[in-house]
Amino acid sequence: MAKAELSKRQKNILTYIDSYMDDSGRPPTIREIGKATDISSTSVVNYNLNKLREKGYVMRDAEVSRGLRLTEKAQKLFGSVRVTLEETLVRLPLAGNIVAGEPIEVGNDAFATYDEDDAVEIAASMLPPRHDNLYALRVSGDSMIDAMVNDGDIVILRKQETANEGDMVAAWLMDDGTTTLKHFHAEKDRVRLQPANRTMDPIYVEPDALQIQGKVVMVIRQT
Amino acid sequence: MAKAELSKRQKNILTYIDSYMDDSGRPPTIREIGKATDISSTSVVNYNLNKLREKGYVMRDAEVSRGLRLTEKAQKLFGSVRVTLEETLVRLPLAGNIVAGEPIEVGNDAFATYDEDDAVEIAASMLPPRHDNLYALRVSGDSMIDAMVNDGDIVILRKQETANEGDMVAAWLMDDGTTTLKHFHAEKDRVRLQPANRTMDPIYVEPDALQIQGKVVMVIRQT
DNA sequence: GTATAGCACGAACACCTGTTCGTAGTCAAG
DNA sequence: CTTGACTACGAACAGGTGTTCGTGCTATAC
């Protein structure tokens, strides 16, 4: 990918798209952009729009008239920056993916060095009183449907290695190397892991064959 | 000017325009509207759009593709939600429960007279660009486990009576009187409702035996 | 020089899209 | 019954619109 720098032409195009949408409520066509920015050929506009897409400033819907959208990245150029108040909104790092068969890897640095784009924002009122050590993971694959968690869902976890009775935890089963989300129940000399789906049966494991990766605080599905 | 009353068809059109703009950021074309609202002729859509213009619900730019805009009058139809703190946070009414066997009842007053305590707060960044006509329901019972939705989960819906291809919708099946959450797929002369759980089979219903209550925007589970 | 990559141009194509036209059914008023 | 307003339909047209193609310019690297 090319550098993120924008040519004068591309800046003009972005500015025009933004003002056009403000005025009319719809995106401009390629020819309208060309006319406004003194570009005589539609292919040149098309070319620059694809460049802008590669650089993350616009989204395009193929073969759709006015199939243009400014991304948040582009809108930030025009000064509409969101202010986050610590008390009302909590921003969590989207630290990676959960994939069955792999333990969750969250380095400590994940809390310090995550990107703007890879963050999840949650209202503080929806979370437990303390927000420390929380992080988010995106579920990849269908391996957790028995935990009522879909491919693409976002799981918010508190990092901890122990669990209390009844907690929903992310657990790594060393026996078969899978990571699952289950309710944790300590029994006499074993651990019962109960699926969230009440129609399914629990599994039992030795405490030593279990590594708790975190406590599930919330699951979010965007459709 | 004609009466301000809207035919069912015109309401459907308005609802579709609103949801289309929320999804894609651009207005739909006449043919897209027709396809979504079961109108085979573009002239009929055009006719109803002109009626809506006369009644003050939309503005039209002649001879311009997607030259449509909803007026404020139309947007008020979809209710407005209270937005706090520079739009970083959106407060939605927790309008009630979803229970299998009952259609969802959301009076228009639900948007005006909900209690502080019965609200759900979501970061604006996690929602579609427009927050009109959103409301939240708490799922009661285990009847939606095939939609990967648990007892106690919160479902955020956009109120609408039509659905686009692939949308996750809350639908009331008149045959057996149940309310379910499924992916909506229009087929030749029937509707396929696909469970979110990919291991389960779809069900097929007559379009007339189906009443769409809203589009599912998000599912939240607090553990 | 020569090669390569990035940028730009105009033209043509195929499909999209708003508009218009003629026609027809329904319903209430005369 | 006849009239007229309202709603609805399918077809066709003219122009809009995204895409692609061949071409050529400039600057940098070899």
Side-chain angles (χ1 to χ4, degrees), chain A residues 9 40-41 43-44 47 65:
Chain A
R9 205 160 235 187
S40 59
S41 170
S43 65
V44 177
Y47 168 81
S65 73

Side-chain angles (χ1 to χ4, degrees), chain B residues 57-206:
Chain B
Y57 289 95
V58 303
M59 296 174 58
R60 302 194 68 188
D61 293 342
E63 299 183 0
V64 170
S65 73
R66 305 179 189 274
L68 269 179
R69 245 179 302 181
L70 292 182
T71 62
E72 284 197 11
K73 183 175 178 182
Q75 291 179 22
K76 276 179 190 162
L77 282 185
F78 301 107
S80 58
V81 290
R82 284 168 49 190
V83 177
T84 62
L85 303 176
E86 279 100 30
E87 304 218 345
T88 59
L89 208 57
V90 181
R91 176 168 296 166
L92 305 175
L94 190 49
N97 287 5
I98 307 183
V99 184
E102 299 173 11
I104 299 168
E105 279 282 344
V106 183
N108 285 329
D109 52 358
F111 291 94
T113 64
Y114 62 91
D115 201 287
E116 284 278 319
D117 297 330
D118 294 323
V120 175
E121 291 182 329
I122 311 289
S125 63
M126 303 289 286
L127 290 171
R130 298 239 336 267
H131 317 131
D132 287 9
N133 221 25
L134 294 178
Y135 61 98
L137 294 173
R138 191 176 292 279
V139 174
S140 180
D142 288 330
S143 62
M144 306 207 181
I145 54 174
D146 64 337
M148 309 286 285
V149 175
N150 239 348
D151 183 28
D153 286 2
I154 293 172
V155 178
I156 296 176
L157 297 163
R158 169 173 297 123
K159 189 175 184 182
Q160 59 186 53
E161 290 172 9
T162 60
N164 299 331
E165 180 65 16
D167 279 352
M168 172 88 126
V169 298
W172 185 42
L173 302 178
M174 298 176 189
D175 289 346
D176 56 1
T178 59
T179 302
T180 69
L181 304 180
K182 297 256 188 327
H183 286 286
F184 178 93
H185 295 278
E187 294 192 354
K188 198 173 185 81
D189 48 7
R190 62 182 184 179
V191 172
R192 174 164 56 90
L193 295 177
Q194 185 83 39
N197 185 336
R198 296 173 191 177
T199 64
M200 306 193 74
D201 293 326
I203 64 174
Y204 299 92
V205 297
E206 297 289 321

Side-chain angles (χ1 to χ4, degrees), chain A residues 6 10-22 26-28 33 49 52-53 56-61 66-78 80, chain B residues 23-26 129:
Chain A
L6 294 178
Q10 287 159 3
K11 279 183 199 165
N12 279 344
I13 291 176
L14 277 186
T15 307
Y16 177 68
I17 294 174
D18 185 61
S19 70
Y20 187 101
M21 293 202 64
D22 268 359
R26 61 175 178 270
I33 295 172
L49 284 177
L52 286 170
R53 178 168 50 78
Y57 289 95
V58 303
M59 296 174 58
R60 302 193 69 187
D61 292 343
R66 305 178 188 275
L68 267 180
R69 248 178 298 181
L70 292 183
T71 63
E72 283 200 13
K73 182 175 178 182
Q75 289 175 20
K76 276 178 188 165
L77 287 182
F78 302 105
S80 63
Chain B
D23 287 346
S24 70
R26 62 176 178 272

Side-chain angles (χ1 to χ4, degrees), chain A residues 36 58 65 111 114 116 130 132 137-138 141 159 172 186 192 202 211-212 214 219:
Chain A
V58 303
S65 73
F111 291 94
Y114 61 93
E116 279 277 313
R130 297 257 320 273
D132 54 307
L137 293 173
R138 192 177 291 280
K159 190 175 184 179
W172 185 42
R192 173 164 56 92
Q211 187 172 334
I212 292 175
V219 179

